[in-house]
């Protein structure tokens, strides 16, 4: 549709228009003259449409007001006066994305949908939420979403409760999150980036109702808003809707939301902070050393892209010179690089994990000396070419997984638009790549290092060291403070707190009226596609190896996944199979040193990764199919190089370099230490399933059991290095066997012949073995555990296998997942319990779990699970509400997939022997699900909960206080 620059369309003046070839879009920037709202539309043929409204929201303190307002505006509004329209949308929308996000300087409200009617509904609810929220009429919203004093009985202790309060307690249970916060505090002491926009639990209770309301009044106005539209849509119709329904009601005002620049430091800064570890943990090798630099402004797209590449070049690839210098100097256990670009002044960081405080001077010295050497001698041009190539491949592929492309482009445009520059700056990249590629012949990157790192005083050294029992100290201080606060209250004031707590609980327990619920726009079941999408699989044979071809448009990229059956690997070697997946591609081979290998991979491919996955055959969790998976991608013309490099890795890797192997094992252990609490939901879920499920018992070898295995290897590596080398060789011999191989290829059909040519050469590297499969015997015991950490909240999980209890799988179980997650568990665990969330998972193979995450409770949550059957027996909703749950379930089934994801899903179904007829049957059953189908599931849930299989990962003291619930209690950090 042709529009004229300078013309007015429904109150919006078209100010700028530009074709951006890199994202196949026509970009149009508008300005709404009456309200002052800005709008950007990226027009293209993508049917996954995206809308968002963003506000510039720089916080002044660490009370988390920006984050709490983000939660709270979605708790009812003028047109949609129920308690949580957001949840009602999740239940009953065909959305492909629905969320809200608080950044350090902005708050975004994005939605996406492929359905035109649904897309408009989502826009309407979100716009009403941000501009007309019910927070002005409700004291309870801040109490629920932010914080409040909890006192159910006058004789009880006062506690703090609130969703964001507990969410941030969970966030800051991970030392890497604390480190990130302290890095920002140190670099930006005088600006919004020096405080915590998400909220620090120590300061969240300082947020008053007045400050909460004032924040919304100040920032949530169209004049401070940035509206984004993306995809194949009618722009004039959407502009008309925005103008008439919302923006015409506002007059343009001046909003002081400018983000201040932090003046450059005259001298480097050094700060020391502490984080808590459990009393039983070893304090050695637990310090983080972090050196961070401020680099110009985000509006310089060339510097931002160049430093993304430079950070990878220096610190991430196995050939990274700065990383290798630090590893060689034996400082800490691992090196991590960071580049933060979605702020006004981007930052570059070098982090050492698993270190000690006395290594600080050596850390500074090695960094400076290596950077000076690189400037003096020059960076290896092969390394530069490899790193530029891998970034260029990623930019051109534009594969963002489950995130809609439009959302990613939205975030990219905000990286300049928010700072009063053109929103197009970071969307196009060709010109910047041309400038950066000059580095192949000049000292481009060396000059960046000299200017922005070596000669830059705006930097901070942050030391984050462990302290035994710091969390317990703070908890005791808080208990004392709250006890003193209570003692200062009169009986009348105490009773007021009790009444306030009760009012909140009553509100939380009171259902929305049918009239309120009816205000949410709803699709019908007829709006849903009845037929499930058929994923194309063409079965072929190449040299006796089964090949699954997925002929899809991939823009000349070939995705080649190899699935090696690992059934020959004896049980005692299974941990080494998981270790093998971690180290392949990172050790030297017969032809390449590991750094040269990394360069070859990055120059010629889009990456080669290794993984272990275990599939169940359709409905039987006892019949599992473990696979060692190699995922590779490249341009079609580079397929020979992709497969030659894959051959080099699997047939000629050398595991006998004990120095390199020790480095990798330390890196793996350090990564687990840093991220263990973040993985809490996954770890607790699989652990509870492993008490009764054979597939989960196998999976457990790669989870907490693998962490124990790696920790033991690291501790005694000197005496075990020879054993490690031999066992890895043995395992590789069992796995890489042409008799065990299934290949999946996703590419345009006309390019399949290029794969055939390359595969014929690769095939010869594989052994041919017809040994008998190994037999596995895993312990199958009822072994309920409390897994203790220094975290401040819990992951509480309970599970069973319903097939073993005599029940079968039915599509209505997917609807039950939606109902439990967004009604029962949402209300009982999140809203009333204060956890960040709850979930339900019921699988085709019978394995099922109920779980919570970032949960302040433990026993109370288990009680909620046990009462689920009562909820289901009393489940009573009208036809409209039931339709809502069905539609919400379908939105999860119909999430758009990239070509590579389609190929993987089709292959997974093939391996599991799940036919298209089965997929269609499940879809038909979901669409036909009614209230009575859900009520019938009460017996299944009751019998499952009676099995009493439970696992909790969380706070050490909380688990000790409830130790009677567990058969075994252990501290999991090694």
């Amino acid at each position: 549709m042709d529009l004229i620059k300078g013309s007015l369309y429904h109150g919006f003046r078209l100010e700028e228009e530009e074709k951006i070839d890199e994202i196949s879009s026509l970009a149009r920037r508008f300005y709404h003259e009456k309200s002052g709202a800005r709008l950007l539309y990226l027009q293209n043929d993508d049917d996954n449409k995206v809308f968002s409204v963003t506000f510039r929201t720089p916080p002044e303190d660490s009370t988390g007001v920006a984050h709490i307002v983000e939660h709270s505006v979605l708790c009812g509004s003028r047109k949609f006066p129920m308690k949580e329209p957001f949840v009602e949308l999740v239940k009953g929308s065909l959305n492909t994305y629905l969320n809200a996000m608080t950044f350090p300087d902005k708050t975004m409200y994005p939605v996406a949908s492929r359905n035109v009617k649904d897309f408009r509904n989502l826009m309407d609810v979100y716009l009403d939420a941000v501009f007309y929220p019910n927070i002005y009429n409700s004291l309870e919203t801040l109490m629920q979403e932010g914080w409040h004093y909890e006192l159910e009985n006058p004789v009880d202790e006062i506690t703090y409760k609130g969703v964001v309060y507990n969410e941030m307690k969970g966030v800051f249970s991970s030392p890497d999150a604390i480190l990130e916060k302290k890095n920002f505090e140190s670099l930006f002491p005088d600006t919004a980036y020096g405080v915590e926009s998400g909220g620090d639990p120590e300061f969240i209770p300082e947020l008053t109702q007045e400050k909460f309301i004032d924040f919304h009044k100040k920032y949530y106005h169209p004049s401070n808003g940035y509206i984004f539209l993306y995809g194949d849509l009618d722009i004039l119709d959407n502009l008309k809707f925005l103008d008439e329904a919302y923006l015409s009601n506002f007059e343009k005002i001046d909003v002081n939301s400018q983000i201040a620049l932090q003046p450059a430091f005259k001298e480097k800064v050094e700060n020391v902070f502490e984080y808590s570890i459990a009393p039983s943990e070893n304090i050695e090798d637990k310090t983080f050393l972090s050196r961070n630099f401020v680099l110009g402004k985000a509006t310089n797209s060339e510097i931002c892209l160049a430093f993304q590449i430079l950070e990878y070049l220096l610190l991430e690839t196995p050939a990274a010179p700065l990383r290798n210098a630090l590893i060689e100097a034996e400082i800490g256990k691992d090196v991590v690089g960071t580049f933060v670009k979605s702020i006004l002044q981007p930052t570059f960081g070098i982090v050492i994990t698993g270190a000690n405080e006395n290594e600080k001077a050596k850390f500074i010295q090695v960094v400076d000396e290596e950077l000076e050497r690189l400037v003096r001698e020059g960076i290896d041009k092969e390394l530069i070419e490899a790193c530029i190539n891998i970034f260029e491949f990623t930019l051109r592929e534009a594969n963002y997984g489950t995130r809609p492309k439009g959302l990613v482009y939205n975030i990219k445009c905000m990286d300049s638009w928010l700072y009063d520059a053109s929103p197009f700056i970071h969307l196009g990249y060709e010109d910047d790549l041309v400038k950066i590629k000059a580095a192949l012949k000049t000292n481009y990157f060396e000059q960046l290092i000299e200017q922005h790192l070596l000669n830059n005083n705006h930097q901070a050294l942050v030391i984050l060291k462990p302290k035994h029992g710091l969390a317990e100290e703070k908890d005791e201080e808080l208990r004392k403070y709250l006890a003193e606060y209570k003692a200062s209250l009169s009986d009348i004031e105490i009773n007021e707190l009790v009444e306030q707590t009760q009012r909140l609980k009553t509100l939380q327990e009171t259902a929305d009226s049918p009239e309120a619920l009816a205000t949410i726009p709803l699709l019908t079941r007829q709006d849903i596609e009845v037929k499930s999408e058929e994923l194309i699989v063409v079965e072929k044979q190449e040299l006796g190896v089964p090949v699954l071809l997925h002929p899809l448009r991939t823009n000349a990229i070939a995705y080649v996944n190899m699935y090696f059956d690992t059934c020959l690997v004896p049980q005692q070697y299974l941990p080494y199979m998981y270790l093998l997946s971690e180290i392949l591609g990172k050790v030297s081979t017969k032809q390449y040193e590991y750094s040269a290998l990394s360069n070859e991979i990055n120059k010629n491919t889009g990456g080669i990764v290794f993984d272990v996955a275990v599939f169940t055959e359709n409905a039987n969790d006892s019949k599992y199919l473990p696979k060692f998976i190699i995922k590779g991608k490249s341009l079609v013309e580079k397929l020979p190089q992709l497969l030659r490099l894959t051959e080099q890795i699997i047939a000629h890797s050398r595991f006998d370099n004990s120095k390199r192997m020790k480095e990798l094992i330390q890196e793996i252990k350090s990564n687990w230490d840093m991220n263990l609490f973040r993985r809490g939901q996954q770890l607790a879920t699989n652990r509870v399933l492993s008490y009764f499920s054979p597939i989960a018992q196998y999976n457990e070898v790669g989870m907490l059991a693998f962490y124990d295995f790696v920790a033991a290897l690291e501790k005694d590596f000197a005496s075990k290095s020879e054993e490690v080398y031999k066992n890895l060789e043995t395992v590789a011999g069992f796995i890489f066997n042409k008799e065990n191989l299934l290949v999946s290829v996703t590419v345009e059909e006309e390019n399949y012949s290029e794969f055939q040519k390359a595969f014929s050469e690769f095939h010869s590297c594989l052994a041919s073995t017809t040994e008998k499969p190994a037999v596995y015997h895993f312990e199958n015991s009822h072994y309920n555990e409390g897994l203790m950490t220094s975290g401040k909240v819990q992951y509480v999980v309970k599970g069973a296998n319903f097939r073993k209890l005599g029940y079968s799988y039915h599509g209505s179980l997917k609807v039950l997942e939606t109902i439990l997650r967004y009604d029962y568990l949402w209300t009982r665990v999140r809203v009333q319990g204060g956890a960040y969330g709850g979930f339900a998972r019921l699988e085709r193979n019978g394995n099922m779990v109920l779980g919570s995450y970032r949960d302040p409770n433990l026993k109370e949550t288990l009680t909620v699970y046990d009462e689920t059957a009562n909820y289901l027996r009393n489940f009573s909703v009208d036809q409209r509400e039931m339709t809502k749950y069905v539609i919400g379930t379908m939105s999860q089934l119909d999430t758009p997939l990239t070509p590579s994801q389609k190929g993987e899903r089709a292959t997974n179904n093939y391996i599991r022997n799940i036919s298209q007829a089965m997929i269609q049957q499940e879809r038909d059953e979901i669409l036909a699900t009614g209230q009575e189908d859900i009520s019938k599931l009460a017996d299944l849930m009751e019998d499952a909960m009676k099995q009493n299989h439970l696992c909790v990962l969380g706070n050490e003291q909380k688990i000790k206080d409830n130790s009677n619930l567990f058969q075994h209690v252990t501290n999991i950090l090694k």
Side-chain angles (χ1 to χ4, degrees):
M1 180 185 299
D2 291 330
L3 301 181
I4 301 171
K5 185 178 174 181
S7 295
L8 206 61
Y9 300 93
H10 303 292
F12 287 89
R13 189 169 300 282
L14 176 58
E15 295 194 322
E16 191 175 6
E17 184 173 279
E18 183 175 320
K19 195 170 188 303
I20 304 178
D21 293 329
E22 293 92 330
I23 60 171
S24 304
S25 297
L26 176 64
R28 288 176 169 142
R29 183 171 60 82
F30 296 86
Y31 181 74
H32 191 260
E33 297 198 331
K34 187 172 188 293
S35 70
R38 308 159 186 84
L39 185 144
L40 176 65
Y41 171 45
L42 298 183
Q43 177 184 323
N44 49 61
D45 60 3
D46 193 341
D47 72 339
N48 194 18
K49 293 167 279 293
V50 174
F51 159 81
S52 83
V53 57
T54 299
F55 300 96
R56 191 158 61 187
T57 54
E60 297 178 358
D61 54 38
S62 293
T63 59
V65 59
H67 188 187
I68 294 167
V69 169
E70 175 235 297
H71 277 240
S72 299
V73 299
L74 296 171
C75 292
S77 65
R78 174 195 62 172
K79 287 170 65 176
F80 310 105
M82 72 282 300
K83 290 186 292 185
E84 300 195 79
F86 171 80
V87 181
E88 298 306 316
L89 284 177
V90 176
K91 290 177 188 174
S93 159
L94 288 176
N95 74 85
T96 55
Y97 191 86
L98 185 72
N99 208 344
M101 298 175 284
T102 303
F103 292 79
D105 54 15
K106 60 183 170 287
T107 310
M108 290 182 70
Y109 296 87
V111 299
S113 181
R114 301 166 82 178
N115 181 286
V116 174
K117 182 179 173 184
D118 187 51
F119 184 67
R120 175 59 57 82
N121 292 345
L122 295 169
M123 285 178 63
D124 195 14
V125 174
Y126 261 47
L127 286 163
D128 206 65
V130 298
F131 290 129
Y132 301 104
N134 280 346
I135 60 173
Y136 291 85
N137 311 314
S138 168
L139 295 173
E140 287 77 19
T141 306
L142 172 60
M143 291 170 60
Q144 173 179 291
E145 297 300 320
W147 77 278
H148 67 274
Y149 293 112
E150 179 88 354
L151 187 65
E152 294 193 32
N153 190 298
V155 299
D156 292 343
E157 291 184 356
I158 293 177
T159 59
Y160 287 139
K161 213 168 188 181
V163 172
V164 169
Y165 179 77
N166 285 313
E167 177 187 352
M168 299 312 294
K169 281 178 71 176
V171 168
F172 290 124
S173 292
S174 296
D176 56 317
I178 299 172
L179 180 65
E180 182 181 347
K181 175 176 179 287
K182 296 304 182 184
N183 287 341
F184 270 53
E185 280 182 24
S186 301
L187 290 173
F188 304 106
D190 307 313
T191 77
Y193 301 125
V195 297
E196 178 52 58
S197 64
D200 184 330
E202 290 190 33
F203 298 103
I204 288 173
E206 295 178 6
L207 180 61
T208 65
Q209 178 74 12
E210 181 182 15
K211 289 180 179 178
F212 171 64
I213 294 297
D214 285 348
F215 192 88
H216 184 270
K217 280 182 180 177
K218 180 177 181 179
Y219 292 126
Y220 280 63
H221 187 281
S223 295
N224 190 45
Y226 301 78
I227 298 170
F228 177 85
L229 287 165
Y230 166 92
D232 183 11
L233 51 81
D234 184 337
I235 184 59
L236 293 183
D237 182 60
N238 280 282
L239 294 180
K240 181 182 179 184
F241 166 72
L242 287 163
D243 174 62
E244 293 180 354
Y246 290 97
L247 299 182
S248 62
N249 299 326
F250 293 88
E251 297 293 335
K252 181 169 58 176
I253 62 171
D254 289 327
V255 180
N256 180 16
S257 64
Q258 246 54 40
I259 297 156
L261 274 169
Q262 175 67 51
F265 294 168
K266 293 180 180 178
E267 295 182 353
K268 301 169 187 177
V269 169
E270 180 178 325
N271 288 316
V272 180
F273 304 99
E274 295 175 327
Y275 74 98
S276 181
I277 61 172
S280 55
E281 284 185 57
N282 187 345
I283 208 162
E284 294 297 313
D285 302 335
K286 293 284 177 70
T287 293
F288 295 79
L289 304 175
S290 177
R291 193 171 175 188
N292 306 275
F293 304 78
V294 173
L295 313 170
K297 293 179 68 176
T299 49
N300 188 329
S301 61
E302 180 189 339
I303 291 295
C304 286
L305 180 55
F307 257 95
Q308 287 178 71
I309 296 170
L310 183 59
E311 184 271 325
Y312 180 77
L313 183 157
L314 290 174
L315 292 162
E316 290 193 34
T317 166
L322 181 54
R323 172 190 175 82
N324 289 338
L326 289 162
I327 294 292
E328 184 73 26
E330 297 185 339
I331 305 170
K333 300 294 179 65
D334 193 17
V335 183
V336 179
T338 64
F339 178 68
V340 180
K341 66 182 181 68
S342 289
I343 56 176
L344 176 60
Q345 294 169 277
T347 67
F348 170 87
I350 308 156
V351 180
I352 303 287
T353 67
N356 293 288
E357 190 175 4
N358 61 11
E359 295 174 298
K360 175 193 77 173
K362 192 175 181 182
F363 170 51
I364 296 170
Q365 178 187 351
V366 171
V367 169
D368 285 344
E369 288 179 353
E370 181 60 17
L371 292 178
E372 287 166 358
R373 185 191 72 79
L374 291 171
V375 170
R376 184 175 63 251
E377 299 178 8
I379 303 170
D380 175 40
K381 298 300 184 186
E382 289 259 332
L383 174 60
I384 292 174
E385 181 186 3
C387 293
I388 293 175
N389 280 354
I390 196 69
F391 268 84
E392 185 172 3
F393 186 99
T394 302
L395 286 167
R396 297 194 190 288
E397 182 187 25
N399 183 347
Y400 303 110
T402 57
R403 274 189 163 189
K405 280 185 185 179
L407 173 61
V408 176
Y409 298 151
N410 186 186
I411 294 171
K412 284 188 175 187
C413 79
M414 295 311 303
D415 290 347
S416 54
W417 201 16
L418 195 79
Y419 313 122
D420 304 316
S422 168
F424 308 157
I425 285 176
H426 296 288
L427 297 177
Y429 52 79
E430 294 288 4
D431 290 346
D432 289 336
L433 273 177
V434 169
K435 296 173 187 174
I436 292 168
K437 284 180 179 179
L440 297 173
K441 296 180 180 178
T442 68
N443 61 344
Y444 179 92
F445 282 118
E446 291 83 352
Q447 288 179 335
L448 287 184
I449 291 172
E450 189 168 30
Q451 178 184 349
H452 293 282
L453 302 182
L454 288 172
N455 297 332
N456 182 1
N457 277 340
H458 197 163
Q459 59 172 284
L461 177 73
V462 174
I463 300 168
L464 184 65
K465 61 182 184 179
K467 181 179 179 181
H468 282 132
L470 180 62
E472 289 73 18
E473 284 180 25
K474 289 186 177 294
D475 286 346
E476 184 55 38
E477 287 175 11
L478 179 59
R479 276 193 292 269
K480 184 178 178 182
Y481 168 78
L482 289 173
E484 290 173 355
Y485 172 72
K486 184 182 179 185
S488 72
L489 300 176
S490 66
D491 289 345
I492 292 175
E493 290 170 322
I494 288 174
N495 286 330
E496 284 177 354
L497 279 186
V498 173
E499 290 171 8
Q500 177 181 286
T501 301
Q502 187 53 52
R503 280 198 305 272
L504 177 60
K505 287 189 179 299
T506 300
L507 178 69
Q508 291 169 338
E509 293 168 1
T510 303
D512 287 313
S513 69
E515 293 77 18
L517 291 172
T519 62
I520 286 283
L522 187 65
L523 302 177
T524 67
R525 298 195 193 203
Q526 287 68 44
D527 291 314
I528 302 171
E529 175 60 52
V530 174
K531 192 173 186 300
S532 60
E533 181 181 7
E534 189 160 357
L535 301 176
I536 305 170
V537 179
V538 180
E539 295 187 50
K540 293 178 175 286
Q541 285 264 337
E542 300 296 340
L543 303 173
V545 174
V547 176
L548 305 181
L549 169 63
H550 314 285
L552 297 167
R553 182 184 169 195
T554 62
N555 294 324
I557 294 173
Y559 299 92
V560 180
N561 291 359
M562 301 183 187
Y563 297 77
F564 289 92
D565 195 324
T566 62
C567 63
L568 299 183
V569 180
Q571 186 166 345
Q572 69 267 30
Y573 291 114
L574 291 181
Y576 284 95
M577 180 178 69
Y578 285 92
L579 180 61
L580 184 68
S581 73
E582 295 268 10
I583 66 171
L584 282 179
K586 300 174 186 175
V587 296
S588 299
T589 68
K590 182 179 178 180
Q591 184 175 345
Y592 301 104
E593 287 297 311
Y594 66 84
S595 57
L597 175 66
S598 172
N599 287 344
E600 287 298 311
I601 291 171
N602 286 339
K603 280 195 302 182
N604 293 289
T605 80
I608 304 172
V609 297
F610 306 86
D611 193 17
V612 177
V614 191
F615 303 89
T616 54
E617 186 174 293
N618 195 351
N620 185 356
D621 83 314
S622 297
K623 189 171 183 181
Y624 49 86
L625 308 161
K627 304 286 183 184
F628 191 98
I629 307 174
I630 304 172
K631 297 181 182 179
K633 56 187 175 183
S634 73
L635 296 174
V636 169
E637 66 202 50
K638 292 286 187 90
L639 270 169
Q641 291 93 320
L642 172 65
L643 292 187
R644 275 201 294 270
L645 287 165
T646 304
E647 173 189 349
Q648 187 67 207
I649 293 168
I650 67 173
H652 303 294
S653 282
R654 299 182 58 181
F655 309 114
D656 55 350
N657 184 331
S658 61
K659 180 176 177 295
R660 179 60 178 162
M661 197 61 64
K662 181 181 178 181
E663 291 170 358
L664 290 171
I665 288 172
Q666 286 181 338
E667 177 186 324
I668 295 165
K669 166 67 164 48
S670 177
N671 182 273
W672 270 91
D673 286 338
M674 280 185 65
N675 293 295
L676 195 143
F677 197 79
R678 290 182 185 272
R679 297 174 178 174
Q681 178 183 332
Q682 177 192 20
L683 295 175
T685 295
N686 194 77
R687 192 73 161 194
V688 80
L689 291 173
S690 73
Y691 303 153
F692 52 83
S693 167
I695 185 176
Q697 288 160 0
Y698 194 110
N699 270 324
E700 188 60 24
V701 178
M703 294 199 178
L704 278 175
F706 181 69
Y707 174 58
D708 292 341
F709 167 75
V710 169
L713 283 187
E714 184 204 33
K715 185 177 180 181
D716 299 316
F717 184 78
S719 63
K720 292 184 176 180
S721 59
E722 188 72 17
E723 176 187 339
V724 170
Y725 155 61
K726 289 180 179 177
N727 288 345
L728 287 170
E729 285 276 13
T730 299
V731 167
F734 280 123
I735 294 173
F736 302 125
N737 180 344
K738 65 184 68 174
E739 311 299 331
N740 294 341
L741 177 60
L742 169 71
V743 181
S744 168
V745 181
T746 304
V747 73
E748 283 96 342
E749 190 160 16
E750 60 268 26
N751 290 326
Y752 179 72
S753 59
E754 298 301 315
F755 164 76
Q756 288 176 302
K757 295 173 194 172
F759 184 74
S760 62
E761 184 179 335
F762 169 83
H763 180 265
S764 62
C765 82
L766 299 174
S768 180
T769 307
T770 55
E771 294 185 26
K772 290 184 179 180
V775 178
Y776 303 119
H777 296 288
F778 296 104
E779 182 183 355
N780 189 354
S781 62
H782 186 280
Y783 195 51
N784 294 356
E785 291 169 293
L787 305 174
M788 298 186 296
T789 73
S790 56
K792 301 170 185 175
V793 287
Q794 284 65 246
Y795 297 88
V796 183
V797 183
K798 201 167 184 185
N801 184 288
F802 59 79
R803 284 189 178 274
K804 293 175 183 176
L805 299 174
Y807 299 94
S808 57
Y809 182 80
H810 187 272
S812 60
L813 290 170
K814 304 310 291 182
V815 183
L816 177 61
E817 285 183 357
T818 304
I819 292 169
L820 293 181
R821 181 173 183 180
Y822 293 113
D823 187 58
Y824 180 67
L825 295 177
W826 184 277
T827 301
R828 294 287 303 275
V829 173
R830 186 186 190 277
V831 174
Q832 296 173 17
Y836 187 50
F839 65 95
R841 200 174 84 198
L842 296 101
E843 298 177 353
R844 190 181 286 269
N845 63 18
N847 284 339
M848 60 168 287
V849 292
L850 300 182
S852 67
Y853 42 96
R854 294 178 183 169
D855 189 344
N857 304 308
L858 195 162
K859 183 167 64 174
E860 298 86 348
T861 299
L862 292 171
T863 299
V864 171
Y865 300 160
D866 290 340
E867 293 174 355
T868 307
N870 293 336
Y871 163 81
L872 295 178
R873 287 196 177 95
N874 297 313
F875 183 73
S876 178
V877 295
D878 60 25
Q879 190 59 46
R880 187 180 189 278
E881 285 299 293
M882 198 65 233
T883 297
K884 188 186 296 181
Y885 290 124
V886 169
I887 293 171
T889 304
M890 295 307 300
S891 75
Q892 297 169 52
L893 252 61
D894 291 344
T895 301
L897 302 175
T898 64
S900 61
Q901 289 171 332
K902 287 182 179 180
E904 285 190 25
R905 181 172 290 185
T907 301
N908 292 354
N909 289 341
Y910 179 89
I911 292 170
R912 296 189 60 195
N913 200 22
I914 296 176
S915 66
Q916 188 65 29
M918 293 174 185
I919 294 169
Q920 185 62 50
Q921 179 183 347
E922 178 188 60
R923 189 179 189 87
D924 293 343
E925 289 169 351
I926 291 169
L927 287 170
T929 297
Q931 174 189 306
E932 63 284 354
D933 298 300
I934 299 302
S935 296
K936 286 176 185 176
L937 297 171
D939 289 346
L940 178 154
M941 189 61 65
E942 181 173 57
D943 288 347
M945 293 301 100
K946 280 181 179 177
Q947 303 309 301
N948 205 38
H949 299 300
L950 60 97
C951 178
V952 178
L953 185 150
N955 177 263
E956 180 171 359
Q957 191 57 51
K958 190 79 167 182
I959 287 174
K960 284 180 177 177
D961 291 345
N962 292 275
S963 59
N964 61 304
L965 296 173
F966 308 107
Q967 293 183 16
H968 188 59
V969 170
T970 184
N971 194 313
I972 58 173
L973 279 166
K974 306 300 176 188

